[in-house]
Structure formats: structure tokens, C-alpha cells
Amino acid sequence: GEDVEQSLFLSVREGDSSVINCTYTDSSSTYLYWYKQEPGAGLQLLTYIFSNMDMKQDQRLTVLLNKKDKHLSLRIADTQTGDSAIYFCAGSRISSGSARQLTFGSGTQLTVLP
Amino acid sequence: GAVVSQHPSWVICKSGTSVKIECRSLDFQATTMFWYRQFPKQSLMLMATSNEGSKATYEQGVEKDKFLINHASLTLSTLTVTSAHPEDSSFYICSAIGVAGHQETQYFGPGTRLLVL
């Protein structure tokens, strides 16, 4: 099955850029996602990228996909204190019921320092 | 956008009792819903896939007789933790698949925190 790995912690200063990295093993993953989880809350979809894309930009968020290395990154420009949260990358696969199942990485705790 | 709700948001129960958690898709129909469990400082682990009108598909290592799933309608799936024990204390998150345009997306509920004493 899919294996998704992330570094556990990242600290940045407010106003700097944050880069959160993720590696995955299943090259058949058609979509790759970034989710944000604030304390005690569910997951909020931030952005996703289709496997035939190299880059996707959405306001302060930039996703880069290196299919050869199976490496995904999320860059947050001008990081704010409200960006402090756990960020999960996830790959999708088709389940036995033909619905997409997500495999999550371990999550990266982003701490934004004032 | 699509919204998924869960009820209750938190529950405390005695060991040996059963707890039911509801997951609802509020403005869309979801033929498929997923139940995840998240232990502190850990990632989400898929427990089961719930399909409307049929039996749920459980992941390896998840006891189907302990975690009963019912997906009786296109907007509601329930997870019942039977005879709960302290080791079942966790954060349970459901998600539902919705379609926006031609894009299929999983929308997550806010989670239910279960504490078994």
C-alpha cells in the first residue's frame, strides 16, 4: 500500500516562507493533497495537485510535485501566526468500492514564531 | 462549500458502555463515507469505508463487531463503539466524498473526541 512520510516539526518566523516536505511511495496516486488541522479540529483541505502537474499556486500556497523523486512540497509565503497547525499530505487510491481512499502522512507541526 | 458535521463533538463514557457517533453531509449526498481514528500526536488511520445501503469495508486490524457502522441514508453514517474500553479513547473523524464540478473531494468532519473512563 501507499506509504507517505513527512518531517514532524518545522518552526519559522512570522513573515518568512515555510516549506513542508512529503515523500510518497505509490506512483499510481492520481491526486496528492495538503490538509491543515488546527488543535482539536478536523481536517481542512488546503489544496491538491493532480499527478500530471508539476506545480500549482493558490494565493500564498505553492505546491511542487517531483514525480521522479516522488516528492511533494507545500510552500506557504508570508507565514502568519494563524498558519500554526499540523499539515498533512495525503495520496489517494481507488478503494474496492471505487471511491478514493486517502493515505495520510504523519503530519508536520508548523510553529510560527512572532 | 461542502460541509460535514459530526455529533457529538466530544463524549465521556464509562468502560463497558456503547457510544454512537453521527456523521452527516449537510448540503450534498455522499454514497461513500470514511471513518478515521487519530491518536494524540499521530496521523489519521482509516478504520472503515462506509457505503450507503451496504456493509462497511473494514481495514485490517479493525474489529467490525466492536466498531459498528451503519450508512442508512445518503447523508448519514453512524459509528457505534460497542463495549468501549479506555484504549478506545481517541479522536474519531469522518469524511464524505462530494463532487464539485468534475473533481471528487473528501470533506472532513470536525471530529469527535471520545474519552472512556
Side-chain angles (χ1 to χ4, degrees):
Chain A
E2 174 82 272
D3 189 21
V4 182
E5 295 187 356
Q6 299 176 240
S7 52
L8 293 180
F9 303 100
L10 175 65
S11 292
V12 298
R13 294 223 172 262
E14 191 174 14
D16 288 349
S17 293
S18 307
V19 179
I20 303 171
N21 295 301
C22 172
T23 57
Y24 60 96
T25 57
D26 188 352
S27 58
S28 65
S29 290
T30 51
Y31 288 92
L32 294 149
Y33 302 84
W34 282 104
Y35 286 87
K36 176 183 180 183
Q37 185 182 36
E38 297 184 70
L43 272 69
Q44 173 194 354
L45 176 64
L46 289 178
T47 187
Y48 64 91
I49 189 167
F50 190 50
S51 59
N52 70 351
M53 298 167 65
D54 296 323
M55 185 184 85
K56 180 177 180 181
Q57 187 159 359
D58 184 2
Q59 299 181 345
R60 291 191 298 126
L61 304 179
T62 302
V63 179
L64 294 177
L65 175 61
N66 182 327
K67 290 183 286 295
K68 175 175 171 291
D69 295 337
K70 296 179 187 169
H71 181 264
L72 181 74
S73 67
L74 173 69
R75 178 177 180 270
I76 306 173
D78 187 25
T79 314
Q80 302 297 308
T81 55
D83 295 325
S84 292
I86 300 176
Y87 290 80
F88 291 96
C89 68
S92 70
R93 63 180 175 92
I94 303 297
S95 72
S96 58
S98 298
R100 294 191 188 281
Q101 282 188 354
L102 296 176
T103 299
F104 287 88
S106 55
T108 299
Q109 173 72 60
L110 173 64
T111 302
V112 182
L113 306 172
Chain B
V3 176
V4 175
S5 70
Q6 283 184 240
H7 178 79
S9 56
W10 59 270
V11 57
I12 301 173
C13 69
K14 291 183 178 179
S15 185
T17 60
S18 294
V19 175
K20 180 187 282 189
I21 302 170
E22 293 185 348
C23 176
R24 293 181 186 274
S25 57
L26 296 184
D27 52 3
F28 65 101
Q29 294 183 331
T31 55
T32 301
M33 292 184 174
F34 300 101
W35 286 97
Y36 294 85
R37 180 167 52 184
Q38 184 183 28
F39 291 107
K41 306 294 185 185
Q42 294 186 26
S43 186
L44 280 73
M45 298 301 296
L46 180 65
M47 298 176 66
T49 303
S50 170
N51 297 298
E52 186 267 339
S54 64
K55 291 183 179 180
T57 304
Y58 290 81
E59 294 299 301
Q60 192 172 8
V62 178
E63 300 174 58
K64 61 180 181 181
D65 294 329
K66 182 169 182 62
F67 298 100
L68 301 179
I69 291 173
N70 185 287
H71 194 154
S73 77
L74 287 171
T75 58
L76 173 64
S77 175
T78 60
L79 169 67
T80 301
V81 183
T82 62
S83 186
H85 291 283
E87 58 266 30
D88 298 323
S89 298
S90 188
F91 193 47
Y92 292 86
I93 301 175
C94 75
S95 73
I97 290 186
V99 179
H102 299 287
Q103 172 61 37
E104 186 183 86
T105 303
Q106 276 201 35
Y107 298 96
F108 285 81
T112 297
R113 193 164 298 281
L114 170 64
L115 177 60
V116 184
L117 302 176

